[in-house]
Amino acid sequence: MDSQKYDLDLIEKIRQQFDKTPYPRTPLEQSPKDDLNSLFIHNLVTPYYLVNQKITNTEGKVILDAGCGSGYKSLVLAEANPGAKIVGVDLSEESVKAARHRLEFHGFENVEFHTLSIYDLSELGMEFDYINNDEVLYLLPDVAAGLKAMKSVLKPEGIIRTNLHSSLQRTVFFRAQELFKKIGLMDGNPEEMEMELAIETMKSLKNGVNLKDRAWNAGYETPDWKGTLLSNHLLVGDKGFTIPEMFAALREVELEFVSMVYWRYWDVTDLFQEPDNLPAFWAMSLPEISTEDRLHLYELLHPIHRLLDFWCAHSSQVDSFLPVDQWQASDWQGAKIHLHPQLRNTKSREDLIKCITEQKPFVISGYVSLPTMAPVEIDGTMAACLLPLWEEPQSFKFLVQRWLKIRPLDLVTLEPVSEQMAFEEVKKCLSKLEVFLYVLLEKSV
């Protein structure tokens, strides 16, 4: 069988599998409105800032959910990006029907869905500001071709979010798939009989058998065991990748890596007992190596992430700004400060005011915890300084002057606080919060 025929056969098997069991199996009525972590990730503002160190308005943007499945992520994208048009495509007609019904149920009208292969995106005749391609790319026969197809409909300043299965973290499921291929359970699209045989095989193995110990638990005997089985042990087209293979695919199609989606959980220094006191070799080597190598070291040391989940963009637009930690005083003086949109909500503002009134620390990470490894707090007095950000963006100069009004005297010496001292205090706080994208800092042009 030639490779083209193999590709077509595999794509057809994948289509049949998701026609039978559209994914994800999220209940129709479930809303992501209160899932601030998910909204944070799917808000175009987040990756756009990582690429450009600028804020973008989602109003009027055109967002593609490539491989939309049953439409839950399309719904998240619609909630996270007010005013944007959402376009969903999927190979499975049944999935597209489910997605269309989901968005209608939740009252979104500026949406459209198409039964279409990712390879054929150009047939839409549209270009996109953002492409979400979640839990799909690793199923395609040719990953580079999939990336190339998305790149072809990406606007010059557009961004792609996509992911690949980790071959290191997921190795046990690839072994299970190989086993079930060997005994003929994946010759066609797995049906009821194949699923029953797979579960019978796993349950009948002795405890202590490596594959059973690592690839089986009580979760596979729940009401949704069939879906779980099809997503892991019997997932047609499933493939694993390493960080170097991920970067190689990006280079092949001339896309530039931007960041891991869960970037804070990929810091190799966090794997050491004393991150601030590394062994001499590591302390000297890590600052000199590439982002690719740092990420690869992480996965070799600690392959816990199922997905290599990342943002990428056209090569011409990445790394064209000065990082905040390299700003000069003049950069700060002209900066505009924005609160991340997912923090600007009534609940967080009310809690902030309560903390200010009671002079308690404000735990800002309690609303969007995803970028953090530990709680992130703002001192109650500094929280009072930042309160206007919950209404609208503010200039850095405005916040410095507000700090001088809130804290006019040094509490130790009772001497007046100088403008330079206020400058440093506000700068220190904003620098800490910007690392987690709780605040977004724009230089003046």
Side-chain angles (χ1 to χ4, degrees):
M1 180 183 295
D2 62 38
S3 60
Q4 185 176 10
K5 179 65 161 55
Y6 168 78
D7 288 357
L8 292 174
D9 286 350
L10 178 57
I11 289 172
E12 177 58 20
K13 287 171 70 176
I14 293 170
R15 184 194 66 76
Q16 289 176 8
Q17 180 162 328
F18 289 105
D19 264 350
K20 186 175 182 63
T21 54
Y23 181 88
R25 293 169 291 280
T26 310
L28 175 67
E29 64 278 4
Q30 183 170 325
S31 170
K33 283 184 178 180
D34 297 325
D35 187 353
L36 297 185
N37 279 323
S38 186
L39 296 176
F40 178 88
I41 287 302
H42 290 85
N43 190 327
L44 174 56
V45 168
T46 301
Y48 189 87
Y49 180 81
L50 289 170
V51 175
N52 302 289
Q53 203 179 77
K54 294 179 182 177
I55 311 302
T56 188
N57 188 344
T58 60
E59 183 76 33
K61 294 293 191 290
V62 185
I63 295 175
L64 173 67
D65 194 9
C68 63
S70 63
Y72 185 71
K73 290 297 174 66
S74 303
L75 177 61
V76 177
L77 289 163
E79 289 283 4
N81 297 279
K85 178 182 180 66
I86 308 298
V87 179
V89 304
D90 199 278
L91 194 64
S92 161
E93 185 174 355
E94 292 304 313
S95 295
V96 166
K97 289 178 183 177
R100 188 177 292 119
H101 181 44
R102 187 186 300 276
L103 273 290
E104 288 175 355
F105 179 87
H106 287 275
F108 286 96
E109 299 178 353
N110 194 17
V111 299
E112 60 182 69
F113 292 93
H114 305 270
T115 304
L116 189 71
S117 166
I118 286 174
Y119 294 144
D120 300 322
L121 288 175
S122 60
E123 294 180 12
L124 292 172
M126 305 171 71
E127 287 191 325
F128 300 93
D129 298 281
Y130 186 63
I131 298 176
N132 182 69
N133 178 235
D134 193 16
E135 304 275 9
V136 174
L137 191 60
Y138 54 77
L139 297 176
L140 299 183
D142 186 341
V143 165
L147 287 169
K148 187 175 182 181
M150 289 187 281
K151 179 186 175 184
S152 72
V153 295
L154 189 68
K155 290 183 180 180
E157 289 194 355
I159 299 167
I160 298 171
R161 180 273 179 106
T162 189
N163 38 55
L164 297 165
H165 264 155
S166 164
S167 60
L168 298 178
Q169 190 274 345
R170 200 168 159 78
T171 181
V172 64
F173 291 115
F174 296 127
R175 283 171 47 207
Q177 291 167 18
E178 190 63 30
L179 169 70
F180 294 134
K181 287 176 186 175
K182 190 74 174 175
I183 62 176
L185 301 190
M186 296 178 71
D187 289 347
N189 190 51
E191 301 283 350
E192 195 80 22
M193 183 183 74
E194 287 80 10
M195 287 186 276
E196 292 285 358
L197 287 172
I199 196 170
E200 181 182 5
T201 298
M202 298 302 291
K203 290 174 71 173
S204 65
L205 291 170
K206 292 193 304 183
N207 291 335
V209 173
N210 183 272
L211 185 64
K212 182 176 183 178
D213 280 356
R214 297 190 60 200
W216 199 257
N217 58 51
Y220 298 116
E221 298 176 37
T222 64
D224 191 36
W225 65 265
K226 293 178 183 178
T228 306
L229 202 68
L230 289 173
S231 299
N232 293 292
H233 306 75
L234 297 175
L235 182 55
V236 175
D238 195 11
K239 296 178 293 298
F241 299 82
T242 62
I243 289 291
E245 290 168 335
M246 179 187 91
F247 274 82
L250 290 174
R251 283 190 288 268
E252 183 176 343
V253 298
E254 298 182 331
L255 282 168
E256 190 79 15
F257 174 81
V258 172
S259 169
M260 302 306 282
V261 171
Y262 298 88
W263 69 90
R264 189 63 187 86
Y265 295 85
W266 280 89
D267 187 347
V268 69
T269 62
D270 286 334
L271 302 181
F272 290 85
Q273 294 182 38
E274 298 181 59
D276 296 326
N277 185 29
L278 298 174
F281 171 80
W282 288 88
M284 290 187 295
S285 301
L286 283 178
E288 305 299 323
I289 66 175
S290 66
T291 298
E292 176 182 346
D293 286 340
R294 288 176 70 98
L295 294 172
H296 187 40
L297 287 173
Y298 188 102
E299 72 172 351
L300 290 174
L301 287 165
H302 196 47
I304 60 167
H305 302 303
R306 177 178 68 87
L307 288 175
L308 309 181
D309 200 354
F310 61 96
W311 285 299
C312 59
H314 291 290
S315 299
S316 59
Q317 69 173 110
V318 179
D319 294 334
S320 58
F321 60 81
L322 186 69
V324 169
D325 61 7
Q326 297 178 30
W327 280 13
Q328 302 297 314
S330 58
D331 298 319
W332 281 99
Q333 291 288 6
K336 192 171 187 180
I337 317 302
H338 302 253
L339 188 70
H340 192 285
Q342 255 54 70
L343 288 170
R344 194 181 299 116
N345 57 71
T346 302
K347 177 68 166 61
S348 66
R349 186 177 185 277
E350 290 175 350
D351 291 347
L352 177 70
I353 292 173
K354 183 178 180 181
C355 289
I356 293 169
T357 303
E358 298 177 358
Q359 276 297 288
K360 294 180 178 178
F362 177 65
V363 185
I364 194 168
S365 57
Y367 306 91
V368 177
S369 61
L370 185 145
T372 70
M373 299 289 284
V376 177
E377 297 181 345
I378 306 174
D379 169 81
T381 308
M382 182 58 74
C385 179
L386 302 185
L387 177 61
L389 293 176
W390 266 254
E391 298 298 330
E392 60 183 356
Q394 304 292 339
S395 70
F396 179 75
K397 288 182 178 179
F398 171 86
L399 295 178
V400 170
Q401 292 303 313
R402 182 174 172 85
W403 178 251
L404 284 169
K405 293 177 182 178
I406 294 170
R407 181 62 66 79
L409 298 178
D410 185 302
L411 297 183
V412 175
T413 66
L414 298 184
E415 294 292 324
V417 170
S418 68
E419 188 159 332
Q420 182 60 35
M421 291 170 63
F423 176 101
E424 294 298 334
E425 287 293 328
V426 177
K427 171 187 168 184
K428 179 181 177 182
C429 178
L430 293 177
S431 295
K432 179 180 80 170
L433 297 179
E434 194 268 347
V435 170
F436 307 106
L437 303 197
Y438 292 145
V439 297
L440 311 174
L441 314 184
E442 274 190 313
K443 286 175 61 177
S444 62
V445 179

